[in-house]
Amino acid sequence: MAIDTLRQRYEAAGQGHLFKFWSKLSATQQDELKTQLETLNIERVNRIYAKAVSSEAGALNPATTADAIQPLPKGASESVSDAAKVKEWRQIGLEAIARGEVGVLLMAGGQGTRLGSSAPKGCYDIALPSHKSLFQYQAERIARLQTVAEIEYSKPSGSVIIPWYVMTSGPTRRDTEEFFKGNSYFGLDSKNVVLFEQGTLPCLTMEGKVLLETPSRVAVAPDGNGGLYAATRSPLLPGKSDTVLSDLAKRKILYVHAYCVDNCLVRVADPVFLGYSIKKQADCAAKVVPKTHPTESVGVVACRGDKFSVVEYSEISKEQAERRDPETGDLTFRAGNIANHFYTTAYLNQVESFEEDLAFHIARKKIPHVDLETGETVKPSKPNGMKLEMFVFDVFPYTERFAVLEVERKEEFSPLKNAPGTGSDDPETSRRDLLAQHKRFLEHAGAKVKEGVEIEISPLVSYAGEGLESVNGKVFTRSGPVAAVEELDVLA
């Protein structure tokens, strides 16, 4: 595009200030800025800003929030408390896996900044005896589940494949690729591990003006985990036409499990959740955990008007938060959101048709930028602008057939959010919760584990406690990691 045409387009959009330093830039810098501005859909950016501001204003209006929020209707949610149903759901899900109909989407764009690490969060070691990273744990759960499906459905070894689509961000893409390559994809076939990148959006002033990071570069930020949907339609490699959606189609994948990288207990491609969602004929489904107490700072899956939605804790009144079911005594608003979802691939292909209707959320941040008058870099001491992001659950209200499965927190949710030593949702609590689960696996299989003994069972040995029948009657007195079931004998 001719530079004059490009400049006119930006001036018409009210963003002509991005050319402020044009005449002072070198030819290389001009090319850099021109390329970035050509790629950017500035009219869409303006629409997103206007809709985000309008949506935020509506959300802050008490008349439009509390009264419109209702708990999940009867029948929309079930739990894993019924063993017979869980067995049936697992069979349905495992059959779909055995037929090669299941894929996995991992949201792994975050860095471990709060953990004191600049590496992708999935590379983090929570100090388990094995020192395996979050990425390795999840890869090995996929490998084990492939094996379980082969064994239970008499499939040849290596014939069941669960493709893993790993969404990175700009800052984490290269490190993630190098980590996977350097670790030989943790035993998975590299052809079945597809890395792709979430999109970005420009950082804006409070008035909606695009900020310049340098005189020749627009300040941008990842577009949130809700950028997952647009990212599945973007080319996997520059100049190529292949996308995540086209790859899913090529592999004839019908169902997808999506989750966030920072949960050490996540059951990747959980056959129970898959089977439940398939049986309910859901387009989209959410896995939830019960809130621990009425004022827990967690969003809940509920209804806003007649639409399913995730409602932030700040939007629920104290009276609503404390309300309980008169029959069960459970909290009425109890379905804690854990960013763990099911989709049909048909539904993922439909998202584009309503994506323009989704409102982005505003995060007010301290954003370094260039002063337009002086050309100096400004590092603000207080929030001076906004980053716009979409959340992965923003599609819920557009789902025709939605379902919710409640699972046990201690078995499936231990997020890694905070710095070491914080005391909650930190590396120590993740380590504690995972090792406590492995102790329960052994005890459920009929073993006894002495107080203070810590045994880590590789996901390659057991996905969810299965395959440990040989420990029945044994007493474990020594700690250590277990990479094969035979190694348990050494610890007894």
Side-chain angles (χ1 to χ4, degrees):
M1 186 184 294
I3 191 61
D4 289 344
T5 306
L6 189 64
R7 191 194 296 261
Q8 287 168 10
R9 181 181 161 198
Y10 272 79
E11 285 174 350
Q15 304 282 6
H17 63 279
L18 297 174
F19 291 86
K20 172 82 174 182
F21 304 104
W22 183 262
S23 62
K24 299 175 184 175
L25 300 179
S26 68
T28 303
Q29 290 173 323
Q30 286 181 347
D31 283 344
E32 180 187 335
L33 181 59
K34 182 172 181 282
T35 300
Q36 194 178 19
L37 296 181
E38 284 175 334
T39 307
L40 194 58
N41 184 339
I42 193 61
E43 295 81 10
R44 175 175 177 260
V45 171
N46 284 347
R47 289 197 303 272
I48 287 172
Y49 167 76
K51 191 171 182 66
V53 171
S54 168
S55 176
E56 184 182 65
L60 293 173
N61 181 354
T64 63
T65 54
D67 291 343
I69 295 168
Q70 300 295 329
L72 289 170
K74 298 285 185 188
S77 174
E78 293 193 56
S79 81
V80 292
S81 57
D82 186 324
K85 282 186 176 180
V86 167
K87 185 177 180 182
E88 179 193 7
W89 295 335
R90 180 183 180 277
Q91 182 178 348
I92 294 169
L94 205 59
E95 280 179 357
I97 289 169
R99 290 193 298 264
E101 297 172 350
V102 173
V104 172
L105 282 173
L106 166 59
M107 292 168 276
Q111 291 172 290
T113 313
R114 288 192 203 169
L115 306 169
S117 168
S118 60
K121 196 182 271 190
C123 302
Y124 198 81
D125 169 9
I126 57 173
L128 291 166
S130 68
H131 291 287
K132 289 177 182 177
S133 63
L134 293 172
F135 278 141
Q136 182 167 354
Y137 244 79
Q138 292 158 27
E140 291 182 352
R141 286 188 180 126
I142 290 173
R144 172 64 184 171
L145 199 50
Q146 291 173 163
T147 301
V148 169
E150 288 165 359
I151 292 169
E152 293 196 24
Y153 290 92
S154 303
K155 297 275 186 177
S157 178
S159 65
V160 172
I161 294 167
I162 303 171
W164 197 20
Y165 301 88
V166 181
M167 184 175 79
T168 67
S169 62
T172 65
R173 176 67 182 259
R174 181 178 293 179
D175 287 347
T176 303
E177 284 184 345
E178 289 177 355
F179 193 69
F180 272 82
K181 287 177 183 173
N183 287 281
S184 303
Y185 293 85
F186 308 106
L188 298 176
D189 188 327
S190 62
K191 295 195 300 290
N192 302 320
V193 181
V194 180
L195 270 62
F196 65 111
E197 196 170 316
Q198 72 184 101
T200 60
L201 279 171
C203 302
L204 307 175
T205 67
M206 301 303 185
E207 297 72 39
K209 299 296 185 183
V210 175
L211 288 163
L212 282 169
E213 181 183 350
T214 72
S216 62
R217 188 167 62 247
V218 169
V220 298
D223 55 4
N225 58 20
L228 170 74
Y229 306 107
T232 61
R233 302 192 301 270
S234 298
L236 293 171
L237 294 169
K240 302 288 186 181
S241 59
D242 291 345
T243 66
V244 169
L245 290 181
S246 72
D247 196 76
L248 288 166
K250 185 170 66 180
R251 294 174 186 265
K252 297 182 171 59
I253 300 295
L254 300 181
Y255 312 109
V256 171
H257 177 227
Y259 69 97
C260 284
V261 74
D262 61 2
N263 176 14
C264 70
L265 295 181
V266 65
R267 294 192 175 178
V268 186
D270 177 17
V272 175
F273 184 38
L274 289 164
Y276 165 75
S277 304
I278 293 167
K279 173 132 197 217
K280 296 281 279 191
Q281 295 185 307
D283 302 313
C284 173
K287 188 181 275 195
V288 300
V289 296
K291 284 180 69 171
T292 54
H293 53 86
T295 56
E296 184 184 5
S297 300
V298 62
V300 294
V301 180
C303 287
R304 201 186 299 271
D306 61 349
K307 303 287 188 184
F308 292 101
S309 184
V310 170
V311 179
E312 297 300 337
Y313 60 92
S314 56
E315 298 179 77
I316 298 176
S317 68
K318 185 172 184 291
E319 183 272 326
Q320 285 174 317
E322 293 177 348
R323 191 186 305 163
R324 293 185 180 272
D325 184 309
E327 294 178 19
T328 63
D330 294 332
L331 291 171
T332 306
F333 291 94
R334 62 185 264 119
N337 173 49
I338 60 172
N340 193 313
H341 304 152
F342 163 93
Y343 309 96
T344 62
T345 48
Y347 180 79
L348 288 176
N349 279 284
Q350 291 167 9
V351 172
E352 186 176 13
S353 67
F354 57 77
E355 203 165 36
E356 280 282 320
D357 297 332
L358 302 176
F360 280 73
H361 307 268
I362 296 171
R364 290 175 175 79
K365 301 283 187 178
K366 293 181 283 191
I367 303 169
H369 64 283
V370 169
D371 186 296
L372 292 175
E373 297 307 317
T374 65
E376 302 279 320
T377 299
V378 178
K379 293 190 175 179
S381 57
K382 60 183 182 180
N384 63 304
M386 58 176 70
K387 296 179 180 180
L388 297 168
E389 54 188 10
M390 195 181 285
F391 298 150
V392 70
F393 53 73
D394 287 335
V395 301
F396 289 2
Y398 298 84
T399 308
E400 287 185 28
R401 296 187 299 276
F402 189 75
V404 176
L405 182 65
E406 183 179 283
V407 298
E408 284 189 89
R409 184 183 293 242
K410 70 177 182 179
E411 298 296 348
E412 300 205 33
F413 187 55
S414 180
L416 180 59
K417 303 285 186 189
N418 301 319
T422 306
S424 68
D425 298 345
D426 64 10
E428 291 83 6
T429 58
S430 292
R431 180 185 191 278
R432 175 201 71 198
D433 293 346
L434 189 57
L435 292 176
Q437 181 184 65
H438 291 184
K439 181 180 180 182
R440 289 193 297 275
F441 285 172
L442 293 168
E443 290 175 341
H444 188 260
K448 288 185 179 179
V449 182
K450 286 289 183 71
E451 192 68 34
V453 169
E454 294 181 334
I455 297 175
E456 179 195 349
I457 302 169
S458 168
L460 296 172
V461 173
S462 182
Y463 176 87
E466 81 293 333
L468 300 174
E469 296 79 11
S470 63
V471 305
N472 186 27
K474 292 183 178 177
V475 179
F476 290 99
T477 58
R478 286 194 278 181
S479 301
V482 171
V485 71
E486 296 80 16
E487 292 178 15
L488 283 162
D489 292 342
V490 180
L491 303 178

